[in-house]
Amino acid sequence: MTWLTIPFLILGLGILVAGAEILVKGASRIALMAGLSPLIIGLTIVAYGTSMPEMVVSLQAAIAGQADISIGNVVGSNIFNVLLILGVCSIITPLIVAQQLIRLDIPILIGVSGLLLMFGWDGQISRVDGVILASGAILYTTFLIRQSKKENNPDVTEEYLKEFGEPVPKTGKQIFIQIAYVVGGIALLVLGSSLLVKSSVAIAKSLGISELVIGLTLIAAGTSLPELATSVVASYRGERDIAVGNVVGSNIFNILAVLGFAAIFSPNGIQVSNSAFNFDIPVMFAVSLVCLPVFITGRLIDRWEGFLFLFYYIAYTAYLVLNATSNQNLHIFNNVILFVVIPATAIALGLSLIPDLVRGKKNDTGI
């Protein structure tokens, strides 16, 4: 580690965010020129485009044999997306949850999170596992496009039109400009990810912290900045379907496409450490699972639930720091979380579900 390491790290993060923004802008406008609806663009190009930093970073790390960074980046990003991004967004304004997210996308997210846990059982995500995950990404994207064509909710359609429906003249000059945006965005992503990975590895080695912890925290937060910016701005503008849909779509994409393609192109697949398998991936699965009761309650992520998400992200990060530094107070922290905080959360979520269950019974009986 030299005095240039941290500036290179910050520079890499900045280049990554700029590259994702430029790529999404160019790709969205090309899609508009091709006649795709703003809804399809929002659900696919934008949701996946904001995950491009995770894709490039995990690919580079996997190819370089830095498996902990590759898997830590995805797992940490998914935890960051739900707990911090949805937490912050719902504190800004309570987030309405679309019925499709509850019935379809959240169960899919829970399913693919469980699939990752199953694939990691043998200590690696093999190339065969990668092919299965990547195939799932293609199927999910195809399904999204077909479903979006059936979207008949005028509020959702108008929301996406307002955000992604900027008219673009179909001229040769404009086509060239938008292609240049896409190529330039990809180039910036590659450059930024290279700087970020090399700097992060140097910092981890100099501080004696594992690459997994760096991947779960620093790199995960950095590569999730596009999702954070997109969702926060969308929630501030009142575009709450975009704020929630962007996070859920990106998390599914991270597991299926990012880890899928990283495993395919890695020489020996992606090795899953005991620490990641025994703790971090189960935490990611639990975070995905808890979305279901939170989203069901009134089909709304309320402010108190946003603060709860934010608290859990802080607690998770605190655990990683205490564990990495072998802090003597770690067992006290664990006991408080396991025997006080988690049971209290379960009770609170259970009580918040009661009105919805009562309402459902009344509807069933025709009252």
Side-chain angles (χ1 to χ4, degrees), residues 75-210:
V75 172
S77 290
N78 280 19
I79 295 171
F80 181 93
N81 286 350
V82 172
L83 296 185
L84 192 138
I85 294 180
L86 286 185
V88 169
C89 289
S90 57
I91 290 171
I92 294 172
T93 180
L95 300 174
I96 296 172
V97 180
Q99 191 67 36
Q100 177 182 314
L101 284 173
I102 297 172
R103 291 181 175 177
L104 181 71
D105 298 285
I106 290 301
I108 289 175
L109 177 58
I110 294 170
V112 297
S113 299
L115 188 64
L116 177 59
L117 194 58
M118 185 180 72
F119 283 165
W121 185 269
D122 60 356
Q124 72 164 354
I125 302 171
S126 66
R127 282 183 167 173
V128 174
D129 297 336
V131 170
I132 294 171
L133 292 173
S135 300
I138 295 170
L139 290 173
Y140 178 66
T141 305
T142 304
F143 175 79
L144 273 183
I145 293 173
R146 288 183 176 178
Q147 281 295 107
S148 65
K149 291 179 179 178
K150 301 175 184 177
E151 178 62 59
N152 54 12
N153 187 330
D155 293 333
V156 175
T157 304
E158 182 182 352
E159 186 174 306
Y160 277 83
L161 181 64
K162 182 169 62 175
E163 182 67 18
F164 308 116
E166 180 184 345
V168 181
K170 296 180 182 179
T171 63
K173 180 181 178 181
Q174 276 296 325
I175 293 173
F176 176 79
I177 290 173
Q178 304 316 320
I179 291 174
Y181 272 128
V182 172
V183 174
I186 293 172
L188 288 175
L189 283 170
V190 173
L191 174 61
S193 64
S194 178
L195 288 172
L196 180 63
V197 170
K198 289 178 180 178
S199 301
S200 298
V201 170
I203 292 172
K205 288 181 178 178
S206 66
L207 297 178
I209 299 174
S210 71

Side-chain angles (χ1 to χ4, degrees), residues 252-336:
I252 294 171
F253 180 83
N254 283 347
I255 295 173
L256 294 180
V258 175
L259 277 183
F261 286 110
I264 290 171
F265 289 104
S266 176
N268 302 304
I270 300 174
Q271 301 302 310
V272 180
S273 66
N274 289 333
S275 177
F277 178 75
N278 292 326
F279 180 72
D280 301 293
I281 297 178
V283 167
M284 183 195 72
F285 177 75
V287 167
S288 302
L289 196 62
V290 84
C291 282
L292 200 54
V294 170
F295 285 18
I296 286 175
T297 52
R299 289 175 55 190
L300 188 76
I301 308 175
D302 217 334
R303 282 193 172 93
W304 77 267
E305 291 166 327
F307 280 112
L308 185 66
F309 275 174
L310 200 55
F311 168 80
Y312 269 107
Y313 185 74
I314 294 170
Y316 172 70
T317 306
Y319 171 84
L320 291 179
V321 172
L322 291 173
N323 188 53
T325 56
S326 301
N327 192 289
Q328 60 182 359
N329 295 315
L330 180 61
H331 71 285
I332 299 174
F333 178 85
N334 288 342
N335 289 336
V336 170

